[in-house]
Amino acid sequence: MHFSVHKKIQIGFVIAFTVIIMASIFSYLVAKNLLDNAARLNHAIEVSKRLEVINKQVKEAEAAIRGYKLTQDSTFLDPSMKDRSLHIEKEYQVLRRVTSDSRIQQLHLDTLRQLLAVKYEQLLQSNVAQDPATDKAIVISSEQVMDRIDKTVQEMTRIEESQVHEKSELFNFFSGLWVPMIFISSLAAIIIGIYSYITLTKEVRLQQHIEAKLKSYQRDLQQNISLLNKTNQELEQFAYVASHDLQEPLRKISTFSDRLQVKYKEQLPADASQLIDRMVAAVARMRVLINDLLVFSRAGRIVPESIVPVNMNELLQEVISDLEITLEEKNAMVVADDLPVIEGNPTSFHQLFQNLIANAIKFASPHRQLQINIHHEVVTGQQLGFVKEARWNDMFCRIALEDNGIGFDQVYADRIFLIFQRLHGISEYSGTGIGLAICKKIVDSHHGYITANGVPDQGATFTVILPLLQSLKNEEYETTTKG
């Protein structure tokens, strides 16, 4: 499977991004466990410290009572038992608040409170003078309570230490994965960075090479365009000069043939007269052909100054008026829609529709009255379906010119727009085979499209598609037409 450069870079960055995300997640978990572990350690230290203070205060109070009883020195009772009790209570409340999130520690604190209360009562009893037997019983009972206090304190300390140990184990687990993950992600980032650098460097070099080629092609294209323009100008000059210069010998041939017929008509045999007649007809066809070539060479030449809004209804009436005599001879009828205003060259549009209507008249059927119908619709480039996307929003006028003449076989639909292409012999239908080629040249120069559809013995339809507004910028236009 082959991947493009952009696809490879995208895949590389996706992998790098995934690795970075995974490394970030592990880093977050490690940092979170480190903070939790530190918080748990501080919590355990604080709980142990408070328990140690409480345990120490109880033992100091017990030692103070014994010292006082042995020496009767009142300094052993400073601070007093009440003050010691208040200090112990203060530490106890702090412990109660610190361990509020642990139910088992709260239960141990309940037990510790009960033991401290018992111990406090025992200390008060020991402070009062008793007989030796009672003192001994109090001392034994006090030792038992103190042992239970020690055990409770140790149990609470053990619970805190076990929680710290659990947090440490979890931290060690994540930190053990974190180091390889950071190493892998760093290695992957380095590899992807190197790969991206190499790939992008190749892409930049390729782009520079393509740009250099494009500049070279553009220079060649400009040179070719200049050469083509120069060649076209020379061809136009040649066509004009040729048509002008060829007219003179044709006039001489025509003049001499006329004189020959007039002066030596009685002396010429019949077959000679026929040859002269054929020569005159050939000269007339030659003159028409030269004129048509000249028209073709000049057709489709438009400049910005020649582009104006054209009232197509008025233009069509002018064309019909010019062809009035020919239409009457064929007893033809022209029915047209109300056409819109279209930007273009009026002379070229006049020539376009005159050639199309004249073509319909020429190929009228001898078995029925010629009827020419002209319909139109305004559509967008997107609705046409065959223009480039850049022209989808442009507005076009599609004009269909239908006739009920002799028609043609659809296989010749493209051929009829080529110069000198004829579907019928010169003896059947007159003409030089240039008219429809001129039509295509005019439509192309207006950035439009022309197609033909025919059915033998039924008629033909010529469809002209023209943009309502002309763009004279050097744009590349789609010239594909529908089949």
Side-chain angles (χ1 to χ4, degrees):
M1 182 180 296
H2 176 72
F3 293 100
S4 64
V5 174
H6 293 87
K7 191 68 174 178
K8 291 178 180 178
I9 294 176
Q10 287 178 354
I11 293 173
F13 276 108
V14 168
I15 295 174
F17 186 68
T18 304
V19 172
I20 291 172
I21 289 178
M22 293 178 62
S24 300
I25 292 173
F26 272 99
S27 298
Y28 168 76
L29 293 175
V30 170
K32 184 176 183 299
N33 277 275
L34 179 61
L35 293 175
D36 291 346
N37 193 51
R40 174 53 61 183
L41 182 61
N42 291 333
H43 182 274
I45 291 173
E46 185 174 7
V47 171
S48 299
K49 180 180 177 181
R50 302 294 179 183
L51 289 172
E52 184 179 354
V53 170
I54 291 173
N55 197 20
K56 181 179 178 182
Q57 288 289 331
V58 172
K59 289 182 178 180
E60 287 180 353
E62 187 175 28
I65 293 297
R66 290 181 180 177
Y68 172 73
K69 292 192 71 174
L70 291 174
T71 63
Q72 293 299 312
D73 185 356
S74 60
T75 57
F76 283 101
L77 299 179
D78 186 23
S80 65
M81 292 299 298
K82 184 176 182 182
D83 292 339
R84 293 178 186 275
S85 176
L86 291 174
H87 188 235
I88 292 172
E89 179 63 22
K90 181 180 179 181
E91 296 292 332
Y92 177 83
Q93 291 300 329
V94 173
L95 272 176
R96 174 69 71 175
R97 185 176 65 256
V98 170
T99 60
S100 59
D101 58 341
S102 176
R103 177 174 175 76
I104 187 169
Q105 292 290 59
Q106 292 287 305
L107 293 175
H108 283 309
L109 284 176
D110 292 340
T111 303
L112 183 61
R113 173 179 283 280
Q114 295 174 1
L115 293 174
L116 289 174
V118 173
K119 187 64 178 177
Y120 182 72
E121 291 296 329
Q122 289 177 346
L123 291 176
L124 291 178
Q125 291 177 8
S126 298
N127 194 24
V128 180
Q130 301 285 347
D131 57 84
T134 303
D135 287 343
K136 183 177 180 181
I138 291 173
V139 169
I140 295 172
S141 176
S142 179
E143 289 293 337
Q144 293 175 349
V145 172
M146 196 64 207
D147 289 340
R148 293 179 62 189
I149 290 174
D150 287 339
K151 289 180 180 181
T152 302
V153 169
Q154 291 173 3
E155 180 62 21
M156 292 183 69
T157 303
R158 186 193 65 78
I159 291 174
E160 293 296 327
E161 290 176 350
S162 66
Q163 291 180 349
V164 170
H165 180 71
E166 290 177 1
K167 290 291 182 181
S168 298
E169 290 292 330
L170 190 60
F171 172 75
N172 291 333
F173 171 75
F174 280 106
S175 62
L177 292 177
W178 180 71
V179 173
M181 180 57 64
I182 293 298
F183 174 76
I184 293 172
S185 61
S186 300
L187 184 62
I190 292 173
I191 293 173
I192 292 173
I194 295 173
Y195 172 78
S196 300
Y197 173 77
I198 295 173
T199 304
L200 290 175
T201 301
K202 290 182 178 179
E203 184 71 10
V204 169
R205 290 177 179 174
L206 178 60
Q207 190 68 26
Q208 292 174 345
H209 177 71
I210 293 173
E211 289 177 357
K213 285 289 186 182
L214 285 176
K215 290 180 180 179
S216 176
Y217 292 152
Q218 287 175 351
R219 287 194 298 269
D220 294 343
L221 181 60
Q222 290 297 330
Q223 293 176 357
N224 291 334
I225 291 174
S226 300
L227 181 61
L228 181 61
N229 290 333
K230 183 179 179 181
T231 303
N232 286 336
Q233 292 176 358
E234 293 175 351
L235 286 175
E236 288 181 7
Q237 293 175 358
F238 171 78
Y240 178 79
V241 172
S243 63
H244 182 271
D245 293 346
L246 287 175
Q247 294 290 347
E248 182 61 25
L250 288 177
R251 280 193 295 269
K252 288 184 178 180
I253 294 174
S254 179
T255 301
F256 292 154
S257 62
D258 290 341
R259 289 181 180 180
L260 184 63
Q261 283 183 319
V262 171
K263 189 173 182 179
Y264 301 102
K265 183 177 181 181
E266 300 298 332
Q267 300 177 18
L268 291 175
D271 56 346
S273 297
Q274 292 178 357
L275 290 174
I276 293 174
D277 291 338
R278 293 175 65 180
M279 180 180 65
V280 171
V283 169
R285 288 198 303 273
M286 186 66 179
R287 184 178 289 112
V288 172
L289 179 60
I290 292 173
N291 290 331
D292 286 349
L293 281 174
L294 184 60
V295 171
F296 179 78
S297 67
R298 293 176 176 178
R301 291 179 58 191
I302 59 173
V303 292
E305 294 77 13
S306 67
I307 298 298
V308 295
V310 180
N311 187 321
M312 300 303 292
N313 294 309
E314 295 179 358
L315 183 139
L316 188 59
Q317 291 303 318
E318 293 175 1
V319 171
I320 294 174
S321 178
D322 292 344
L323 298 173
E324 182 177 3
I325 296 176
T326 310
L327 289 169
E328 289 178 354
E329 290 177 354
K330 292 289 186 178
N331 192 26
M333 180 187 306
V334 179
V335 179
D337 289 350
D338 187 16
L339 301 177
V341 174
I342 301 176
E343 279 190 354
N345 183 283
T347 303
S348 296
F349 280 171
H350 189 283
Q351 190 174 21
L352 168 66
F353 285 95
Q354 181 168 320
N355 285 357
L356 290 176
I357 295 176
N359 187 76
I361 295 172
K362 181 193 301 185
F363 296 104
S365 174
H367 307 298
R368 53 183 174 269
Q369 180 188 11
L370 176 63
Q371 188 166 7
I372 303 172
N373 297 317
I374 302 176
H375 306 292
H376 89 285
E377 62 176 336
V378 177
V379 296
T380 63
Q382 187 174 9
Q383 289 174 324
L384 289 176
F386 56 87
V387 301
K388 286 189 175 181
E389 187 175 354
R391 303 186 70 191
W392 279 4
N393 294 326
D394 294 351
M395 301 302 297
F396 292 82
C397 181
R398 178 160 48 198
I399 303 174
L401 192 148
E402 303 174 356
D403 65 66
N404 60 345
I406 64 172
F408 61 89
D409 196 325
Q410 187 62 27
V411 295
Y412 303 114
D414 294 330
R415 176 182 168 185
I416 61 177
F417 291 109
L418 300 178
I419 190 170
F420 299 133
Q421 295 298 314
R422 300 174 55 89
L423 302 184
H424 306 279
I426 188 67
S427 60
E428 296 179 272
Y429 295 95
S430 63
T432 58
I434 298 178
L436 292 179
I438 293 175
C439 291
K440 179 167 177 55
K441 194 172 181 181
I442 292 173
V443 172
D444 288 345
S445 67
H446 285 80
H447 311 125
Y449 313 89
I450 184 169
T451 60
N453 291 277
V455 179
D457 299 325
Q458 294 187 23
T461 300
F462 288 85
T463 302
V464 177
I465 301 173
L466 295 170
L468 294 182
L469 300 176
Q470 285 295 318
S471 174
L472 298 178
K473 298 178 181 179
N474 293 325
E475 299 175 352
E476 181 183 357
Y477 284 91
E478 181 71 46
T479 58
T480 305
T481 56
K482 289 185 178 179

